[in-house]
């Protein structure tokens, strides 16, 4: 095997599994250590520079970082990364003076963003500090997009949205056109903008097509539209018996909202298995905690009605069959149909893109699914001035992906407006900073112990279900946050090896608690992985290989099982091992700025 190139930012980035899994590449262990130190404002700013909406995401993120967390490999659950983000947001001091400054001198370029959701707001946040005049258009009277319209207030209070949207729109450089829906892309292009970003989301919910649907239409609602009506106060009550169709997070928001609006018998019905539901596990748990049953393997067959009034639904019972390639097909089980009585039905079976305002004769290409044809890296469309991001680009995902798209599109727009090739992406950078405070002392807590995840307190059910605006999750207090932060294994503090200092005493091998270090003759990777002190079985995690040893052997470390405990560096008599903090300098349109400052 060739020696590992530790100058490549991806080398150690891949070892910080949580950060690698995050689409916005938030430096998770960095901000968790700051929370443990009580430096909440600093922790918030680390998040703000990467994921833009720490308080919002600390309550609503789909948490791709948590399944990747190393703590979850050895204990029941990973570190509560998402909820610790909220701790930083809830406990920070006023950070407005620390936000990236907006120059009074503009660069003469105007950019239009269609939609005021997370993707467009990220583009605006990234471009305004570079002197761009960014215009944000949205049909609603406030910014936030689906964050505001579709996420219930009991999960995300309005004041949190107002605050974090305001950090972007209230500092200059961004002109908001709220209550102004874009009706024509051609007209917007003719208005002379240097670039247009489309972040209009996936605004159309899929409908139900079964007998009786049209006759009972008055009591059947599309889930995302219904949630929006609830959010803006147009819907204030619901029938006593409610069926929610669908297995995603929108369905969970619908059923929990219905409980708070008077639904006494709220039932979620899913056509697939419980484990195959797209809803996050914690969303399903919260729904069931509130007394909402989730019935699976039931396919809608008929809507029952009397004189135009909905009375219930009939479902066919199915089971899953898999072919030789593992492809699933739902087939009738032969069991009797299931009838569920209902006064209202909420349909949350998926969302689709809709671009009725984009003329089909202006040169913008769409694929057979109705999505724009885009470069997956640059987000540029077949019209060079037009870029897409968020759900409008590649279909429905989540907030953190919309933020990542916004960062990528902002880079492209900046390059495009400067007349440069949008494919010439700025490189990522990195820093490696030794954590040495003495010969064998480190500036971070490297005591690794077994510690199960701490539960997030919730409001009492009898109180929460009476008020749809009352936030259910109370969040960690500072004491619980400190305890949960201590569970982090500091995966960004890397074990960096210097072969020229090594005397090959194997002291590090002897003391390593996970047997992840081996000194051995080199070989092909597959063969070498099998003869390490502990075979390296996870092929997705690269090995750390260093040559230049006097015996001709190589040092091989299995990054997959390393705990970053520092015992190898503490034991090494020559300092060949050092604990160095890895900081990724992610590529963004604004030139990198220090994430930390004295609070």
């Amino acid at each position: 095997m060739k020696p590992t190139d530790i100058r490549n930012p991806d080398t150690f980035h891949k070892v910080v599994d949580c950060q690698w899994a995050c689409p916005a590449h938030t430096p998770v262990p960095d901000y968790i250590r700051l929370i443990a130190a009580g430096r909440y404002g600093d922790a918030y700013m680390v998040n703000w520079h990467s994921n833009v909406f720490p308080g919002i995401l600390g309550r609503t993120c789909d948490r791709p970082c948590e399944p990747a967390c190393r703590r979850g490999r050895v204990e029941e659950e990973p570190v509560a990364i998402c909820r610790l983000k909220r701790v930083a947001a809830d406990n920070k001091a006023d950070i407005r003076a620390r936000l990236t400054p907006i120059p009074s001198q503009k660069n003469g370029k105007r950019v239009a963003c269609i939609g005021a959701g997370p993707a467009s707001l990220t583009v605006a946040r990234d471009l305004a500090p570079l002197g761009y005049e960014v215009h944000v258009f949205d049909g609603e009277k406030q910014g936030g997009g689906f964050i505001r319209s579709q996420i219930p207030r009991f999960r995300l209070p309005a004041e949190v949205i107002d605050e974090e949207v305001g950090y972007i729109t209230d500092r200059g450089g961004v002109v908001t056109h709220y209550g102004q829906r874009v009706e024509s892309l051609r007209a917007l292009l003719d208005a002379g903008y240097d670039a247009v970003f489309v972040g209009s989301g996936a605004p159309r919910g899929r409908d139900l097509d079964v007998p009786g649907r049209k006759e009972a239409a008055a009591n059947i609602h599309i889930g995302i539209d219904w949630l929006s009506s609830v959010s803006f106060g147009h819907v204030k009550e619901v029938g006593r018996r409610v069926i929610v169709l669908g297995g995603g997070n929108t369905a969970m928001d619908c059923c929990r909202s219905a409980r708070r609006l008077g639904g006494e018998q709220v039932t979620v019905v899913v056509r697939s298995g419980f484990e195959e539901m797209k809803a996050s596990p914690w969303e399903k748990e919260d729904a069931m905690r509130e007394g909402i049953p989730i019935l699976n393997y039931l396919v809608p067959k008929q809507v029952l009605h009397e004189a135009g009034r909905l009375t219930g639904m009939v479902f066919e019972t199915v089971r899953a069959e898999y072919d030789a390639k593992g492809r699933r097909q739902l087939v009738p089980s032969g069991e009797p149909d299931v009838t569920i009585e209902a006064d209202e039905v909420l349909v949350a079976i998926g969302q689709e893109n809709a671009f009725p305002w984009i003329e089909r004769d202006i040169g913008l290409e769409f694929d057979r699914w109705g999505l724009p044809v885009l470069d997956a890296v640059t987000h540029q469309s077949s019209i060079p001035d037009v870029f897409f991001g968020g759900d409008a680009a590649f279909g429905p995902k989540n907030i953190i992906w919309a933020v990542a798209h916004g960062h990528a599109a902002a880079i492209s727009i900046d390059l495009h407006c400067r007349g440069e090739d949008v494919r010439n992406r700025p490189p990522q950078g990195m820093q490696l900073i030794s954590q040495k405070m003495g010969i064998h002392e480190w500036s971070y807590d490297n005591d690794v112990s077994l510690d199960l995840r701490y539960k997030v307190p919730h409001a009492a059910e009898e109180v929460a279900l009476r008020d749809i605006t009352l936030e259910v999750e109370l969040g960690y207090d500072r004491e619980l946050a400190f305890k949960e932060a201590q569970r982090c294994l500091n995966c960004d503090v890397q074990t960096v090896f210097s072969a020229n200092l090594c005397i090959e005493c194997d002291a590090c091998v002897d003391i390593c608690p996970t047997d992840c270090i081996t000194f051995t003759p080199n070989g092909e990777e597959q063969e070498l992985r099998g003869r390490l002190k502990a075979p390296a079985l996870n092929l997705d995690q690269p090995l750390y290989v260093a040559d230049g040893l006097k015996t001709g052997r190589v040092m091989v470390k299995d990054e997959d099982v390393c705990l970053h405990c520092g015992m190898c560096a503490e034991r090494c008599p020559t300092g060949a091992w050092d604990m160095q903090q890895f900081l990724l300098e992610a590529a963004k349109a604004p030139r990198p700025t220090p994430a930390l400052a004295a609070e």
Side-chain angles (χ1 to χ4, degrees):
M1 292 187 67
K2 293 182 179 180
T4 300
D5 181 8
I6 65 171
R7 297 169 299 177
N8 181 348
D10 282 354
T11 297
F12 287 133
H13 187 194
K14 290 179 181 178
V15 180
V16 192
D17 299 79
C18 51
Q19 184 176 12
W20 182 258
C22 173
H25 302 314
T26 303
V28 172
D30 192 27
Y31 81 73
I32 288 180
R33 275 192 304 275
L34 291 168
I35 289 170
R39 295 169 60 187
Y40 305 110
D42 289 342
Y44 185 88
M45 292 309 298
V46 168
N47 276 280
W48 187 82
H49 278 282
S50 60
N51 61 50
V52 186
F53 305 104
I56 292 170
L57 286 165
R59 292 164 164 83
T60 63
C61 189
D62 273 3
R63 318 178 197 178
C65 53
E66 292 190 13
C69 174
R70 288 172 184 266
R71 178 66 77 169
R73 300 179 192 175
V74 295
E75 293 179 28
E76 290 181 5
E77 293 188 271
V79 174
I81 297 169
C82 178
R83 279 7 184 198
L84 286 174
K85 194 191 317 289
R86 172 183 171 173
V87 170
D90 288 356
N91 290 277
K92 69 184 184 307
D94 189 348
I95 51 86
R96 284 174 291 185
R98 302 175 63 181
L99 302 177
T100 310
I102 307 296
S104 57
Q105 184 76 27
K106 302 304 178 187
N107 65 12
K109 302 291 186 180
R110 297 165 66 240
V111 176
C113 291
I114 303 174
S120 289
L121 291 173
T122 300
V123 170
R125 202 289 303 266
D126 284 5
L127 293 182
L130 296 180
Y132 287 90
E133 183 181 294
V134 184
H135 292 253
V136 179
F137 295 84
D138 197 282
E140 300 298 340
K141 296 180 180 180
Q142 293 174 289
F146 83 91
I147 291 175
R148 189 180 296 275
S149 64
Q150 293 175 30
I151 299 178
R153 295 292 78 83
F154 60 82
R155 289 181 57 208
L156 179 60
E159 55 267 25
V160 178
I161 306 173
D162 294 341
E163 175 189 355
E164 296 195 328
V165 171
Y167 288 153
I168 298 168
T169 60
D170 298 346
R171 298 187 300 120
V174 178
V175 181
T176 57
H177 301 269
Y178 294 154
Q180 186 174 337
R181 191 176 301 278
V182 172
E183 302 292 350
S184 166
L185 180 58
R186 176 185 279 116
L188 203 63
L189 291 170
D190 290 344
Y193 289 99
D194 296 279
V196 173
F197 175 79
V198 180
S200 54
R204 184 169 62 196
R206 290 179 182 157
D207 205 347
L208 183 67
D209 184 18
V210 295
R213 165 67 177 93
K214 293 180 180 179
E215 290 81 353
N219 299 107
I220 300 177
H221 315 286
I222 301 300
I224 59 171
D225 297 336
W226 184 82
L227 285 172
S228 182
S229 295
V230 171
S231 179
F232 293 117
H234 305 313
V235 170
K236 298 181 180 179
E237 59 183 10
V238 74
R240 186 177 65 84
R241 302 169 301 177
V242 181
I243 296 174
V244 178
L245 302 177
N249 286 338
T250 298
M252 299 301 101
D253 286 339
C254 284
C255 69
R256 297 180 69 197
S257 296
R259 283 282 282 126
R260 286 159 172 79
L261 292 178
E264 298 176 11
Q265 180 185 309
V266 180
T267 307
V268 175
V269 181
V270 189
R271 60 185 294 131
S272 63
F274 182 83
E275 296 301 326
E276 297 172 283
M277 291 173 61
K278 293 182 179 180
S280 304
W282 49 91
E283 299 292 350
K284 294 189 284 187
E285 291 169 9
D286 286 343
M288 292 186 293
R289 185 189 299 116
E290 293 176 356
I292 301 170
I294 299 176
L295 310 181
N296 58 1
Y297 289 123
L298 294 175
V299 175
K301 186 175 181 180
Q302 182 182 1
V303 173
L304 302 177
H305 56 91
E306 292 179 3
R309 184 179 66 85
L310 174 77
T311 60
M313 288 190 67
V314 178
F315 297 89
E316 181 181 34
T317 304
V318 296
R319 58 182 174 82
E321 280 190 357
Y322 298 87
D323 62 19
K325 295 183 178 180
R327 291 174 298 198
R328 189 201 67 173
Q329 183 179 7
L330 296 177
V331 298
S333 67
E335 299 175 43
D337 291 343
V338 174
T339 299
I340 302 176
E341 296 180 342
D343 303 302
E344 292 194 63
V345 171
L346 306 178
V347 183
I349 55 176
Q351 293 171 234
E352 298 174 333
N353 294 70
F355 303 103
W357 47 273
I358 297 181
E359 296 84 355
R360 293 307 193 259
D361 61 350
I362 61 173
L364 204 153
E365 295 181 28
F366 290 88
D367 63 20
R368 61 192 179 96
W369 295 283
L371 292 170
V373 176
L374 305 173
D375 183 292
V377 174
T378 68
H379 292 248
Q380 189 175 44
S381 73
S382 52
I383 300 177
D385 293 345
V386 180
F387 302 80
F388 284 71
D391 292 353
F394 306 110
K397 282 196 174 180
N398 48 55
I399 300 171
I400 193 64
W401 272 107
V403 169
H405 291 173
H407 285 318
I411 291 173
S412 299
I413 292 170
D414 182 39
L415 291 169
H416 175 72
C417 289
R418 289 193 278 117
E420 299 182 22
D421 188 346
V422 296
R423 293 166 296 182
N424 185 21
R425 314 304 284 178
Q428 295 194 121
M430 70 170 190
Q431 299 178 46
L432 281 172
I433 305 168
S434 177
Q435 300 301 291
K436 214 169 252 189
M437 295 184 69
I439 297 177
H440 298 305
E441 292 181 284
W442 319 109
S443 65
Y444 72 102
D445 182 2
N446 66 337
D447 180 26
V448 176
S449 59
L450 292 175
D451 206 352
L452 297 181
R453 179 166 166 149
Y454 290 86
K455 299 293 184 183
V456 178
H458 284 66
E461 183 179 309
E462 61 271 16
V463 177
L465 292 180
R466 289 202 302 264
D467 186 352
I468 197 167
T469 65
L470 178 70
E471 189 169 15
V472 177
E473 281 196 15
L474 303 179
Y476 289 129
D477 60 22
R478 294 187 178 193
E479 181 181 353
L480 273 179
F482 174 79
K483 291 178 179 179
E484 183 62 28
Q486 292 296 92
R487 298 181 67 234
C488 178
L489 296 176
N490 299 291
C491 296
D492 63 333
V493 181
Q494 306 294 338
T495 47
V496 179
F497 182 72
S498 300
N500 62 312
L501 298 177
C502 180
I503 58 174
E504 301 183 64
C505 65
D506 283 7
C508 56
V509 177
D510 294 338
I511 202 169
C512 177
T514 61
D515 293 330
C516 69
I517 302 171
T518 306
F519 288 83
T520 183
N522 208 339
E524 295 296 327
E525 180 174 355
Q526 183 176 359
E527 181 267 336
L528 185 60
R529 280 181 175 271
R531 60 177 165 86
L532 300 181
K533 189 172 182 184
L537 304 177
N538 183 2
L539 302 181
D540 293 330
Q541 191 85 65
L543 299 174
Y544 181 4
V545 180
D547 62 4
L549 297 168
K550 294 180 178 63
T551 63
R553 298 185 300 171
V554 289
M555 185 288 300
V556 183
K557 183 163 81 76
D558 182 4
E559 296 283 24
D560 184 49
V561 295
C562 177
L563 295 175
H564 302 250
C565 62
M567 293 180 71
C568 54
E570 291 178 5
R571 181 66 181 85
C572 180
T574 65
W577 289 103
D578 188 21
M579 306 306 294
Q580 298 185 11
Q581 184 186 0
F582 165 80
L583 283 171
L584 180 74
E585 296 172 350
K588 292 189 177 68
R591 302 303 167 252
T593 55
L596 298 180
E599 187 170 37

